[in-house]
Amino acid sequence: QVQLVESGGGLVQPGGSLRLSCAASGLPFGSNTKGWFRQAPGKAREFVAAVTGSSGSTYYADSVKGRFTISREGAKNTWYLQMNSLNAEDTAVYYCAAARFFKGLASAGFDFWGQGTQVTVSS
C-alpha cells in the first residue's frame, strides 16, 4: 500500500524556521510530482509548493514565495519543505502529497496524501 508520512512540525516563534520532511513508500513507479499543502482551522486546504516530475520545475503560492523552498532527494521517495521567516499566518496542518503525473496545482491533482503535521507559529 502507499504511505506518506510527514515529520518536522512543531511550535516555532515568529521569524523562525522549520524543515518538514515527507517519506513515501509504495508509490507507483513514476510518481515524481511532489507537493505540500496546508489547512488552517475552518479553512479549505490550500496549495503551498510543488515540484513536478522529471523536469524538476518548482511552484509556490504567492504567500510563501521567497520564504519556503521545496526539494526532493534523487530517489524521489523523500521530499522536504524548508520554511523560513515564519509568521502567524503560516500556522496550519501541513500535508505532503504525490501525483502519478503533473495534473496541476490543485488538491484534486494529487493522488496520495500524508496524515499531516502541525505547524504553530506563536510567540
Side-chain angles (χ1 to χ4, degrees):
Q1 62 179 356
V2 176
Q3 186 172 29
L4 281 62
V5 179
E6 302 95 338
S7 62
L11 175 65
V12 63
Q13 292 187 336
S17 298
L18 286 173
R19 188 178 77 157
L20 305 182
S21 300
C22 186
S25 61
L27 286 174
F29 181 79
S31 301
N32 294 327
T33 293
K34 309 296 175 29
W36 289 93
F37 293 76
R38 67 187 183 186
Q39 187 169 23
K43 294 188 176 182
R45 186 171 299 184
E46 66 175 352
F47 167 77
V48 175
V51 56
T52 59
S54 58
S55 71
S57 299
T58 56
Y59 300 87
Y60 298 93
D62 288 342
S63 59
V64 307
K65 285 180 180 177
R67 299 189 297 121
F68 291 11
T69 303
I70 187 170
S71 61
R72 61 186 181 188
E73 294 183 348
K76 301 177 182 178
N77 60 350
T78 304
W79 60 104
Y80 307 93
L81 185 69
Q82 178 66 47
M83 306 186 294
N84 299 324
S85 301
L86 287 162
N87 57 59
E89 288 69 47
D90 297 314
T91 295
V93 176
Y94 284 71
Y95 299 87
C96 63
R100 294 183 179 92
F101 52 90
F102 182 58
K103 303 182 288 294
L105 303 178
S107 296
F110 288 78
D111 306 299
F112 312 105
W113 294 84
Q115 82 290 345
T117 185
Q118 178 70 47
V119 172
T120 302
V121 185
S122 177
S123 60

